[in-house]
Amino acid sequence: MKILLIEDEKPIAKALRSGLSTSYLVDLAYTGKKGIYKALTNDYDLIILDLNLPDTSGFEVCQELRQAQLSCPILVLTGKNLAESKAVLLDAGADDYVVKPFSLVEIKARMRALLRRHNAPTGTTTKIGQLSLNPQTQTVLFNHKPLSLSKKEFLLLQYFLRHRNVPLSRLQIAEHIWEGASYLTSNTVDVHVCNLRRKIGLPDSNQLIKTMHGIGYKLVAENN
């Protein structure tokens, strides 16, 4: 999973990145404007946002990201412990906050809770043509017949469905399906896509998951 940390105090930022990098891929931004740019041009699973930034406030960053329809969880780091500030934070679009000083254990626990809530199955079945995926029951049907998918294949198909008609690089896919992609072999994504295509059983000329040469893959959903 990929995390964006927006924090201007470099010792805190580097310590957090070091502590989180064992489980997550962590990008850093030292200003609010840089953080907004990164958040809106990359795909992150969670954002950790410091309230006090040199160029703008965390409140304004949070509001701008939500106004841009960014839906990933935002965890705010704040040195203030006032009820009014907390209420304003939540109204601005933050999902949770941690008051400084904090421990890495607390940060990780808050992150896990936010990610669980954000990624919780909604029970809504996603359909494309004859293909349907139900996150609540963890089932996939094609032409009304169940497909037997591994956990990674299910997550891969779900990720493609959430980003239909969007080109996805192999690195993007690896970062979101395998937490921390550094240990993966170079063809891991290709192998799983190949297996997923085989199980869906469509001819090569009519594949839902198209190869984007020089980029990666794209799930093509016409008229859906």
Side-chain angles (χ1 to χ4, degrees):
M1 290 188 174
K2 197 170 183 179
I3 307 300
L4 174 61
L5 172 59
I6 307 173
E7 167 63 72
D8 67 307
E9 295 186 47
K10 292 186 177 181
I12 294 177
K14 291 178 179 179
L16 271 176
R17 181 171 63 177
S18 176
L20 296 174
S21 61
T22 56
S23 303
Y24 307 98
L25 293 168
V26 183
D27 275 358
L28 280 180
Y30 294 117
T31 66
K33 291 181 180 178
K34 187 66 174 179
I36 290 170
Y37 174 78
K38 282 179 171 281
L40 297 181
T41 56
N42 294 278
D43 192 8
Y44 295 104
D45 295 284
L46 183 141
I47 294 172
I48 300 175
L49 171 64
D50 185 35
L51 187 61
N52 298 307
L53 296 167
D55 57 337
T56 185
S57 73
F59 294 109
E60 293 171 337
V61 172
C62 198
Q63 286 177 326
E64 186 165 340
L65 294 180
R66 292 312 189 206
Q67 287 170 2
Q69 305 301 311
L70 194 75
S71 63
C72 75
I74 298 177
L75 175 63
V76 172
L77 309 178
T78 174
K80 300 178 180 179
N81 196 18
L82 301 175
E84 306 91 276
S85 297
K86 296 174 183 177
V88 172
L89 273 175
L90 297 175
D91 287 341
D95 295 276
D96 199 358
Y97 54 84
V98 177
V99 178
K100 297 178 181 180
F102 51 78
S103 68
L104 183 61
V105 172
E106 181 181 11
I107 290 287
K108 287 184 173 181
R110 297 293 184 98
M111 289 174 62
R112 288 193 298 270
L114 289 177
L115 290 168
R116 279 197 303 270
R117 292 204 300 268
H118 184 71
N119 296 322
T122 62
T124 301
T125 299
T126 302
K127 293 183 179 181
I128 290 180
Q130 297 299 311
L131 181 69
S132 65
L133 179 148
N134 188 312
Q136 186 68 47
T137 60
Q138 299 279 293
T139 55
V140 177
L141 300 178
F142 183 73
N143 198 20
H144 305 294
K145 295 180 180 179
L147 299 183
S148 178
L149 303 183
S150 69
K151 181 179 179 180
K152 293 300 185 187
E153 290 165 354
F154 182 90
L155 293 173
L156 181 61
L157 179 58
Q158 187 176 47
Y159 187 61
F160 276 124
L161 289 170
R162 287 175 176 171
H163 298 81
R164 60 184 71 186
N165 295 318
V166 176
L168 299 170
S169 70
R170 290 173 176 81
L171 180 59
Q172 281 179 293
I173 295 168
E175 287 174 351
H176 286 81
I177 305 303
W178 292 268
E179 294 183 8
S182 59
Y183 66 90
L184 298 178
T185 60
S186 59
N187 68 337
T188 296
V189 172
D190 296 328
V191 169
H192 280 75
V193 170
C194 181
N195 290 339
L196 183 56
R197 285 170 165 171
R198 177 177 53 79
K199 290 183 178 182
I200 292 173
L202 287 171
D204 290 344
S205 60
N206 197 32
Q207 288 290 344
L208 288 173
I209 302 171
K210 305 289 187 181
T211 300
M212 306 294 291
H213 295 291
I215 301 175
Y217 297 98
K218 178 173 70 172
L219 187 144
V220 178
E222 297 180 359
N223 301 321
N224 280 278

